[in-house]
Amino acid sequence: MFEFKQTTHLQRKRTLIRACVAGLVAIALFGILGARLWYLQVVRYEGLAARADQNRIAVVPITPRRGEILDRNGVVLARNYRDYTLSVVPAKIGEPINDMLDRLGQLVHLSPRDRRLFTRAAEQSSRYAEILLRSNVNEEEASWFATRSYEFPGVSLQARWVREYPEGESAAHVIGYVGRISEADRNRLEESGELGNYRGTQVIGKKGIEKTWEAQLHGRTGVEEVEVAASGRPVRSLDRVDPVPGSNLRLSLDINLQKIAEAEFAGRRGALVAIEPATGEILALVSAPSFDPNLFIDGIDVENWRKLNESPDHPLINRPLYGTYPIGSTYKPFVALAALELNKRKAGDRFPDPGYYEFGGQRFRNAGGAVYGPTDMHRALVVSSDTYFYSLGPEIGVDNLHDFMKPFGFGQVTGIDLDGERQGILPSTDWKRRAFAKQPAQQRWYAGESISVAVGQGYNSFTLLQLAQATSTLANNGLYMTPHLVSQVVNPYTDQILETVRVSTHTIPLKSEHVQLVKQAMKGVIQHGTARRAFAGAPYQAAGKTGTAQVFSLRGAKYNASAIDERLRDHALFMAYAPADNPQIAVALIAENAGWGGAVAAPIARKVFDYWLVDRPELKSAPVLEQDVIAETEEVAAP
């Protein structure tokens, strides 16, 4: 009996010990769990809450609307419209890509080109990258896809702004175009710290104003915080920072003047630049032939790229900025001015012109074999006597000529707000030493080389923009205004206008009597010289100079256009400003391989001047003020 009681007592004691141990273990476990909960919810709260939000909240970039580009009268040259795109994240598809594309193609049209470009991009990108499949999805297709989007995980429909150039080829080299952001673009944006501002943006300015004014046109990207379910489906919007649209740009360009000038180059290769001398504003900038910038927005197709890239006419080259040419006799007014300013020859000095200039046993002949006899500077400019200017070359010297021409902008980058401008060549003895550094025998400058330089040939190689800028500066009596295209930057929210005010960079010190003498001769070119036929009956007085530049040396042979390959024929050039006594427009142009400047180039300038000075709608609609009538009456009545 006693043993039974003892055994029962021991069992109870063991059970109690076990219960205490179990309770202590439970308490310890709950203590550990509580400590862990405290650690996670208090100590690690901030970090874990942020990670939870990252899983729960998606930050979606909102692409800003790109600024518009308008001409000086408000005509839209580049604008935006809304459309939809389909994009794919390959890692989220869950089936072979081709099977997905086949199913999707039953809802939305997918061309072989769309599939080919997508497949190529998918091979070159990460599986987790969002890849564009189809752009320009219309409203009907978008609605079809939206109703069945749940069947296509990894495929998203997005609205976007699309660039459009309503004027097509007109002024394409000025406006430029946008294109898909390349790896080089991304690297450049990352270096400048702007990559974050391009999240969600698919295009960037590639050429022209679109490129040089990209920072103003693009705007600032907005963001929206969206709560998403575990499936990735948006649930609700939590916060939003609206994007800031890009600024609108108003150009100095007049699109009507631009089209008139472009029409004159139909079927020709060439370039034209028109400048307002008082401000440096570009009124027209023609590069012929041109191209349609709309082709580049979503990536140009192979066929169109081949046509443009392989064309012998090189339509993608911006000729006024990138093409460099000998400018022929249009250089002569500046050479004459240099001779006067440097006291190398007086205006009244007569120089014999037997039809050639002989130097070092070689004869340099007048164009067409013309003979002018004893010729002074005025007559030499009016009739374009090569002999007279041949003789000035050795007298002035190439280095003196270089130093005089440089402030006019010859052989210098003008600083225009477009990309791709070339410097050209303004020769000098120092330039030749550097240009022929690997050919010591050719580094010496010979006096005979100054002869061809003085008539705009030889080593001279300038852009049409430089010739137009020099013409504008001469019309301005030596006041140099930096040429520019953007005149106003307009805030799209407030309509606040920021004027891109340009001031004169320098003034060339010229004697007034010398400038007036050269200008008077340039008026003579228009009145009874080489451009008289082109300007016959004009209701205004212009001043200018024709030019014809050789493409290759005839080596003493007589020029015969019909016997020479078309692309080896002479270039036709012309430079002028009008009205002569109050310049409002200065023009320089070249018609490649077109022959005589007076016969081909000058009539083009006449069309440009006629529109700007006579036929422009603003002139015809401007009200006549009473003080204007009084002023005109007083002028007529004055003796």
Side-chain angles (χ1 to χ4, degrees):
M1 184 67 178
F2 175 77
E3 290 179 359
F4 175 76
K5 289 183 178 181
Q6 188 177 15
T7 301
T8 303
H9 177 72
L10 289 173
Q11 288 178 344
R12 289 177 178 175
K13 186 176 182 180
R14 288 173 184 161
T15 301
L16 181 61
I17 293 172
R18 289 174 181 170
C20 290
V21 170
L24 291 173
V25 170
I27 292 171
L29 291 176
F30 277 107
I32 293 172
L33 180 61
R36 182 62 177 169
L37 289 173
W38 179 85
Y39 174 75
L40 293 175
Q41 295 188 15
V42 178
V43 178
R44 293 287 307 279
Y45 171 78
E46 292 185 2
L48 294 176
R51 291 174 62 181
D53 284 342
Q54 288 177 2
N55 294 329
R56 182 176 63 90
I57 301 173
V59 179
V60 181
I62 307 174
T63 305
R65 179 178 59 80
R66 194 173 180 85
E68 294 186 340
I69 302 176
L70 306 91
D71 86 333
R72 68 188 298 119
N73 299 312
V75 178
V76 177
L77 306 179
R79 63 189 177 196
N80 313 285
Y81 67 90
R82 296 286 272 181
D83 83 341
Y84 298 92
T85 62
L86 282 175
S87 299
V88 179
V89 178
K92 296 182 179 180
I93 292 177
E95 64 178 311
I97 290 180
N98 287 331
D99 292 348
M100 182 276 293
L101 294 178
D102 291 339
R103 290 195 303 113
L104 184 60
Q106 297 175 8
L107 292 178
V108 178
H109 174 69
L110 297 176
S111 69
R113 178 175 179 268
D114 292 330
R115 298 184 63 152
R116 184 174 63 254
L117 292 176
F118 171 77
T119 303
R120 185 185 308 165
E123 292 172 351
Q124 299 173 353
S125 304
S126 166
R127 283 176 48 79
Y128 296 92
E130 189 174 68
I131 303 169
L132 178 67
L133 172 60
R134 160 82 192 279
S135 58
N136 297 318
V137 178
N138 60 42
E139 293 280 352
E140 186 177 9
E141 290 176 315
S143 63
W144 287 345
F145 175 80
T147 59
R148 298 177 59 180
S149 60
Y150 62 91
E151 298 179 11
F152 300 92
V155 182
S156 60
L157 179 70
Q158 300 170 342
R160 65 162 185 171
W161 289 108
V162 181
R163 202 62 159 171
E164 182 184 31
Y165 303 102
E167 298 297 336
E169 295 187 2
S170 187
H173 290 91
V174 173
I175 304 165
Y177 55 84
V178 296
R180 294 181 182 178
I181 297 177
S182 65
E183 192 62 32
D185 294 326
R186 293 187 186 279
N187 293 337
R188 188 174 65 254
L189 290 171
E190 189 171 10
E191 291 175 1
S192 63
E194 283 292 311
L195 186 59
N197 189 37
Y198 281 78
R199 288 185 59 197
T201 301
Q202 297 176 345
V203 297
I204 193 171
K206 295 287 187 178
K207 291 289 183 182
I209 293 295
E210 293 277 27
K211 180 179 180 180
T212 53
W213 290 82
E214 170 67 26
Q216 290 76 16
L217 288 167
H218 177 260
R220 305 301 299 179
T221 298
V223 293
E224 183 176 18
E225 292 185 357
V226 180
E227 185 176 8
V228 295
S231 62
R233 182 176 58 84
V235 176
R236 61 191 175 109
S237 177
L238 300 176
D239 193 18
R240 177 185 174 95
V241 176
D242 290 328
V244 178
S247 298
N248 297 327
L249 302 181
R250 187 180 289 270
L251 306 186
S252 58
L253 200 78
D254 186 302
I255 195 62
N256 291 325
L257 178 67
Q258 177 81 15
K259 288 181 177 180
I260 287 172
E262 288 172 344
E264 294 301 307
F265 280 91
R268 291 193 177 108
R269 299 178 302 279
L272 178 147
V273 179
I275 303 178
E276 186 176 62
T279 62
E281 292 186 346
I282 302 293
L283 305 176
L285 192 147
V286 176
S287 180
S290 187
F291 64 95
D292 186 356
N294 292 293
L295 296 173
F296 290 86
I297 295 172
D298 280 321
I300 189 170
D301 60 84
V302 175
E303 182 180 354
N304 280 312
W305 172 251
R306 185 179 293 116
K307 287 180 180 178
L308 293 174
N309 194 45
E310 297 179 2
S311 170
D313 294 334
H314 304 294
L316 294 177
I317 291 179
N318 190 338
R319 280 172 162 81
L321 272 69
Y322 190 80
T324 56
Y325 308 88
I327 60 172
S329 294
T330 58
Y331 202 41
K332 289 176 181 177
F334 305 97
V335 175
L337 191 57
L340 293 172
E341 289 288 321
L342 299 174
N343 295 317
K344 298 298 182 179
R345 188 174 295 181
K346 295 180 180 179
D349 292 347
R350 291 179 175 270
F351 189 86
D353 182 350
Y356 61 86
Y357 174 70
E358 191 165 354
F359 185 89
Q362 183 177 353
R363 289 185 175 183
F364 299 84
R365 300 182 181 278
N366 283 337
V371 177
Y372 298 109
T375 306
D376 62 11
M377 185 174 288
H378 179 93
R379 176 173 166 78
L381 283 169
V382 172
V383 300
S384 198
S385 167
D386 289 328
T387 295
Y388 183 93
F389 286 93
Y390 286 147
S391 68
L392 284 177
E395 288 184 29
I396 298 174
V398 67
D399 286 337
N400 287 332
L401 204 56
H402 170 278
D403 294 343
F404 182 82
M405 298 298 180
K406 185 176 179 179
F408 281 93
F410 288 113
Q412 314 301 310
V413 174
T414 66
I416 189 174
D417 47 348
L418 283 179
D419 65 308
E421 183 180 6
R422 293 181 71 183
Q423 182 174 346
I425 298 173
L426 179 62
S428 65
T429 54
D430 180 62
W431 167 83
K432 194 175 183 186
R433 281 193 298 270
R434 288 184 282 106
F436 294 94
K438 296 182 180 180
Q439 301 167 281
Q442 298 185 37
Q443 291 181 12
R444 178 185 172 188
W445 186 273
Y446 296 92
E449 293 176 314
S450 299
I451 294 173
S452 57
V453 166
V455 292
Q457 296 280 168
Y459 292 116
N460 285 326
S461 186
F462 308 130
T463 67
L464 256 292
L465 177 61
Q466 289 171 1
L467 178 57
Q469 178 62 16
T471 304
S472 176
T473 303
L474 179 59
N476 252 353
N477 300 320
L479 183 67
Y480 186 101
M481 302 294 296
T482 301
H484 59 283
L485 279 153
V486 175
S487 58
Q488 295 178 343
V489 180
V490 183
N491 187 308
Y493 275 160
T494 64
D495 289 332
Q496 180 181 1
I497 297 176
L498 175 64
E499 300 279 353
T500 58
V501 179
R502 301 298 178 102
V503 297
S504 171
T505 58
H506 61 269
T507 301
I508 305 172
L510 302 170
K511 292 183 179 180
S512 177
E513 59 269 26
H514 293 161
V515 174
Q516 294 308 315
L517 190 148
V518 171
K519 284 186 171 183
Q520 195 65 29
M522 292 172 65
K523 288 169 65 176
V525 171
I526 303 296
Q527 292 171 334
H528 46 266
T530 52
R532 64 187 182 280
R533 292 182 181 178
F535 283 86
Y540 51 84
Q541 175 63 61
K545 183 71 187 76
T546 58
T548 305
Q550 288 183 353
V551 175
F552 79 111
S553 175
L554 295 172
R555 299 186 182 277
K558 186 176 180 180
Y559 179 79
N560 183 357
S562 61
I564 300 175
D565 181 85
E566 189 266 340
R567 292 181 184 271
L568 296 178
R569 296 172 187 170
D570 293 346
H571 295 323
L573 296 107
F574 187 67
M575 55 83 85
Y577 59 87
D581 297 328
N582 181 28
Q584 298 176 31
I585 181 172
V587 167
L589 68 102
I590 183 171
E592 295 180 11
N593 313 118
W596 299 103
V600 179
I604 297 176
R606 169 70 187 272
K607 292 279 188 177
V608 170
F609 286 166
D610 281 353
Y611 174 81
W612 192 252
L613 301 176
V614 180
D615 300 328
R616 192 159 35 121
E618 304 93 284
L619 299 177
K620 295 181 178 180
S621 61
V624 178
L625 302 179
E626 183 178 355
Q627 54 266 36
D628 295 334
V629 176
I630 295 173
E632 290 177 5
T633 304
E634 290 176 346
E635 288 179 2
V636 172

